Amino acid sequence: MRFPEVDLALAVRTLRNTFRALENRHYRWLWIGRLATSGTFQMGNVVQGWLVYNLTGSAFALGWVGAGWSVATLTLGLYGGTITDRVDKRALIFWTRVGMMLSTLTIGVLVASGLIQVWHLALANFLNGALSAFLMPAQQSMVSELVDSDALMNAMSLDALGMGLMGIFGASLAGLAIEAIGPESVYFFMAGLYAMSLFAITRVPDVPTRSVERRSVWADITSAFTYLRGEPLLLLVLILGVARVFFVMPYMSLLPAFARDNLGLDASGLGFLQSILGFGGMLASLIAGNLGEMRGKGRLLARASAVLGLCLIALATVRWLPAVYLSLLLIGGLGNLYMVLSNTLILSYCDPAYRGRIVSISMMEFGLMPLGTLPSGAIADRVGVPSVIGVQGVITTLIFGLVAWRKRELADMN
């Protein structure tokens, strides 16, 4: 009779370790606010795409409307990171969320009144991308100000877990709401989530700024790159993130074509493939939540990405659906594990005075995604999706395998 008691105690201890960072009341409120804004992001992707396609019937319109977010992030990312290092992060988060809420409400009213046009959606997407250039580095860098260093990786894993959960439930809810009530209902619900996130951030304490010198914005931006030159391991992590954008992330944009043309799946089959990715990501986040005190996080980052490349090769070469599902489960999990490890290492190794700027550089990597997805799509039209995914898998394995082998000092990053 003692064995179940031991198992129960172990389960309770594991569960507590998994959600350890949430024991910090201030981080808990920050997490709730980020959970709400993650929901708006996922729901916004669904309803915006639905509206754009219904208004234009153009797949190209989907691309140029969606590109506004990336353009704004790339243009203002470094400026947003610099401002983050200068001002009260809580106030910055509050007012950027206010701007997003007002933008969302405006689109909801335009849709409800029948006045919505595609340029309204493009403008709102660009505006939200601009606001995100300030919001994202402020949110990310604030985490390290609220939790202890030994709980930082746990906090990063919980952030990833929250995004994964909202990716599943937020997107599903948006689709159901569009069909049952109308697209305007999604925007009004998103505005409600923003209101909840505003309340949550008011429960988080002020975080003092660490940057005491008052120079021009340009001087602060250039000083960030000067700082990076003196931190080669931190720079390496950022460069690896760029490599991941070019050679790993494009598979996501190619997945619809792969599902239809190579696997013979319909829309529901594609949805199932995407849900497997999300499920793998959530599993990895739960596992990563218990790895906060492990040594060699840098080594794990490189090796996990090298294995991810092998999984991309498997995805491109097999046609047996169970093997495809397993490949996607591993790809989703290893991708999320990379994100958690990368964010943890950046926040752990970065001087607090530079965190906003360095985090903004890492966030700008997502703005580069069109530079990877557009060429991949063009090449895939000529040689086929599996060939592109397979070659990118080989390149990914070679890059990260070589880094794991040659950059032994990366293993010392914890």
Side-chain angles (χ1 to χ4, degrees):
M1 295 296 295
R2 295 176 60 187
F3 290 106
E5 294 178 6
V6 172
D7 291 341
L8 179 61
L10 178 61
V12 170
R13 189 162 58 249
T14 301
L15 185 64
R16 184 174 180 180
N17 287 336
T18 301
F19 297 96
R20 174 186 175 189
L22 290 178
E23 295 178 1
N24 182 315
R25 181 169 62 91
H26 297 145
Y27 170 75
R28 188 163 62 245
W29 280 112
L30 181 67
W31 185 80
I32 290 171
R34 295 190 70 176
L35 193 69
T37 53
S38 293
T40 64
F41 182 78
Q42 301 295 342
M43 296 176 74
N45 280 341
V46 174
V47 69
Q48 176 183 280
W50 188 89
L51 277 171
V52 169
Y53 201 71
N54 274 271
L55 287 170
T56 66
S58 167
F60 179 69
L62 289 171
W64 71 260
V65 171
W69 191 92
S70 297
V71 171
T73 303
L74 281 173
T75 304
L76 297 172
L78 281 173
Y79 184 77
T82 301
I83 297 301
T84 295
D85 286 331
R86 289 183 171 207
V87 303
D88 175 14
K89 294 181 180 65
R90 186 181 70 164
L92 184 59
I93 292 171
F94 180 89
W95 289 111
T96 50
R97 287 178 179 174
V98 167
M100 290 178 168
M101 183 178 70
L102 293 176
S103 170
T104 300
L105 278 173
T106 300
I107 295 297
V109 171
L110 288 171
V111 174
S113 62
L115 299 175
I116 190 68
Q117 297 183 38
V118 69
W119 72 265
H120 295 142
L121 297 169
L123 180 61
N125 197 46
F126 179 85
L127 176 61
N128 287 336
L131 291 170
S132 293
F134 296 85
L135 173 65
M136 293 168 65
Q139 287 185 152
Q140 193 85 330
S141 59
M142 196 174 193
V143 175
S144 58
E145 306 284 351
L146 297 178
V147 302
D148 296 332
S149 58
D150 58 349
L152 184 58
M153 183 165 172
N154 182 258
M156 291 293 101
S157 69
L158 290 175
D159 284 346
L161 176 64
M163 286 189 290
L165 286 170
M166 295 312 295
I168 294 174
F169 296 112
S172 300
L173 180 61
L176 292 173
I178 290 171
E179 295 294 331
I181 308 173
E184 66 273 14
S185 66
V186 180
Y187 285 101
F188 294 140
F189 189 80
M190 288 164 59
L193 288 176
Y194 277 123
M196 185 176 81
S197 74
L198 290 176
F199 173 77
I201 196 60
T202 63
R203 312 299 294 174
V204 178
D206 291 328
V207 176
T209 57
R210 302 297 185 95
S211 183
V212 295
E213 294 185 52
R214 291 302 178 196
R215 301 173 294 185
S216 68
V217 171
W218 179 250
D220 275 352
I221 291 174
T222 55
S223 70
F225 289 99
T226 302
Y227 169 73
L228 276 178
R229 283 202 297 269
E231 298 290 339
L233 289 180
L234 196 57
L235 180 60
L236 176 61
V237 172
L238 293 172
I239 292 173
L240 290 177
V242 174
R244 186 169 175 270
V245 166
F246 280 100
F247 301 114
V248 176
M249 301 306 293
Y251 85 89
M252 297 181 66
S253 66
L254 298 175
L255 196 59
F258 182 71
R260 186 191 65 185
D261 298 338
N262 299 102
L263 299 178
L265 300 177
D266 56 13
S268 61
L270 172 62
F272 184 64
L273 295 183
Q274 292 174 328
S275 67
I276 290 174
L277 286 169
F279 185 67
M282 286 195 297
L283 285 179
S285 298
L286 290 170
I287 294 171
N290 291 283
L291 301 178
E293 297 181 3
M294 72 165 289
R295 310 292 295 175
K297 293 185 181 70
R299 181 194 301 114
L300 179 59
L301 178 143
R303 290 181 176 179
S305 296
V307 175
L308 191 154
L310 295 176
C311 293
L312 287 174
I313 296 171
L315 178 66
T317 54
V318 300
R319 295 295 179 273
W320 186 46
L321 278 179
V324 171
Y325 298 154
L326 177 60
S327 298
L328 287 172
L329 184 73
L330 291 172
I331 289 169
L334 292 169
N336 238 32
L337 180 60
Y338 176 93
M339 183 174 66
V340 171
L341 289 167
S342 176
N343 290 338
T344 301
L345 292 174
I346 288 171
L347 291 176
S348 297
Y349 276 79
C350 184
D351 186 312
Y354 291 91
R355 276 190 185 133
R357 281 161 285 178
I358 302 306
V359 168
S360 71
I361 293 173
S362 69
M363 295 292 181
M364 286 172 64
E365 293 169 358
F366 292 99
L368 295 172
M369 283 185 64
L371 298 181
T373 56
L374 292 177
S376 297
I379 296 172
D381 284 341
R382 292 180 174 273
V383 302
V385 171
S387 297
V388 173
I389 294 178
V391 169
Q392 290 178 333
V394 171
I395 295 173
T396 299
T397 299
L398 289 175
I399 290 175
F400 285 93
L402 185 63
V403 168
W405 175 47
R406 298 289 296 176
K407 293 291 183 180
R408 300 295 177 87
E409 60 270 26
L410 187 68
D412 297 327
M413 297 186 76
N414 297 298

